[in-house]
């Protein structure tokens, strides 16, 4: 059990300590992982940015993911998608809807700059937990396409089967807990409050400023 996302990030940073001093690029999946990413990037002496992906929602259960899509339009469709009622026509509509939301988020989160390039760097993709693993798979696929030197998936907690699904997409997976009784990510946090868009924007701006000051000094 984690106190909150900051507690989880501090513990995760310790597990990622071998990457301290390698200027890793910490890529957080919004919104919940962004405050975590700030803590981890600071602890490792790296930079923070976001990797934008959106889950594809099940037709009759919007909280349940049947896949995920990245900014390029590449989509991962989970094996259980059809069983959850997501046929090809539904998935095509859902992909277009979520892609439009991704474009809005990019305009909100980093309006004045391009995403930080992970090429040739250690890229650490983080989230606050893995339920189905769909969004992490899409995130790792997106980052891999930009040719990082090493691609790491890092989460505090994950369903064991989701961790197995994600593993082939990363060079390394760091996970602190894999409980067998897994219903939702939030059950493993005492406090699991919503992270709003404004908090993401402020955190990214502050981290960018701090990184610039560090380089200048």
């Amino acid at each position: 059990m984690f106190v909150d996302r900051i507690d989880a990030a501090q513990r995760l940073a310790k597990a990622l300590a071998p990457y301290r001093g390698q200027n890793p690029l910490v890529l957080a999946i919004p919104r919940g992982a962004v405050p975590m990413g700030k803590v981890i990037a600071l602890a490792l002496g790296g930079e923070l940015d976001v990797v934008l992906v959106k889950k594809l929602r099940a037709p009759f259960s919007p909280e349940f993911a049947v896949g995920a899509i990245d900014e390029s339009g590449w989509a991962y469709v989970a094996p259980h998608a059809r069983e959850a009622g997501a046929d090809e026509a539904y998935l095509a509509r859902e992909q277009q809807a979520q892609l439009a939301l991704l474009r809005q988020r990019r305009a909100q989160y980093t309006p004045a700059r391009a995403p930080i390039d992970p090429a040739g760097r250690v890229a650490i993709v983080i989230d606050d937990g893995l339920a189905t693993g769909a969004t992490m798979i899409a995130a790792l696929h997106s980052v891999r396409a930009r040719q990082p030197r090493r691609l790491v998936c890092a989460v505090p907690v994950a369903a064991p089967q989701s961790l197995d699904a994600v593993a082939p997409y990363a060079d390394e997976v760091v996970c602190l807990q894999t409980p067998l009784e897994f219903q939702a990510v939030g059950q493993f946090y005492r406090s699991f409050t919503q992270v709003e868009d404004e908090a993401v924007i402020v955190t990214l701006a502050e981290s960018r400023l701090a990184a610039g000051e560090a380089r200048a000094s």
Side-chain angles (χ1 to χ4, degrees):
M1 177 71 73
F2 302 100
V3 176
D4 53 19
R5 289 185 180 90
I6 300 305
D7 174 45
Q10 290 168 342
R11 296 198 220 176
L12 203 51
K14 290 180 181 178
L16 293 164
Y19 294 108
R20 186 180 294 122
Q22 297 186 42
N23 190 29
L25 177 58
V26 178
L27 294 164
I29 298 177
R31 291 177 297 211
V34 174
M36 296 176 59
K38 180 180 180 181
V39 170
I40 293 170
L42 182 62
L44 301 183
E47 288 184 279
L48 172 66
D49 206 353
V50 287
V51 52
L52 296 187
V53 292
K54 287 285 287 180
K55 71 179 177 184
L56 303 176
R57 305 164 298 176
F60 308 109
S61 181
E63 293 303 313
F64 183 61
V66 294
I69 190 167
D70 70 13
E71 289 184 272
S72 74
W74 181 87
Y76 164 76
V77 177
H80 59 260
R82 189 168 291 277
E83 292 177 11
D87 59 18
E88 289 186 11
Y90 171 83
L91 286 170
R93 293 193 302 273
E94 178 67 358
Q95 287 173 26
Q96 289 305 308
Q98 297 306 323
L99 192 56
L101 288 173
L102 283 175
R103 290 172 181 145
Q104 290 176 19
R105 277 195 169 178
R106 178 57 70 188
Q108 278 183 293
Y109 292 170
T110 59
R113 64 170 177 86
I116 300 174
D117 189 0
R121 298 179 65 176
V122 173
I124 304 174
V125 181
I126 67 164
D127 205 353
D128 48 23
L130 299 183
T132 67
T135 52
M136 179 58 77
I137 288 172
L140 292 169
H141 182 275
S142 175
V143 179
R144 178 72 79 188
R146 290 177 280 166
Q147 301 182 324
R149 175 167 58 86
R150 185 166 180 81
L151 181 57
V152 181
C153 164
V155 292
V157 62
Q161 65 273 21
S162 299
L163 207 62
D164 290 342
V166 161
Y169 292 85
D171 297 316
E172 180 185 359
V173 175
V174 176
C175 180
L176 304 182
Q177 298 180 13
T178 53
L180 295 176
E181 297 296 324
F182 193 108
Q183 296 178 346
V185 172
Q187 79 185 93
F188 302 102
Y189 291 81
R190 290 193 190 122
S191 174
F192 197 66
T193 56
Q194 178 91 352
V195 176
E196 302 296 340
D197 285 328
E198 184 59 34
V200 173
I201 294 165
V202 170
T203 299
L204 290 174
E206 289 176 346
S207 294
R208 190 71 170 165
L209 180 62
E213 290 174 348
R215 285 193 295 271
S217 63

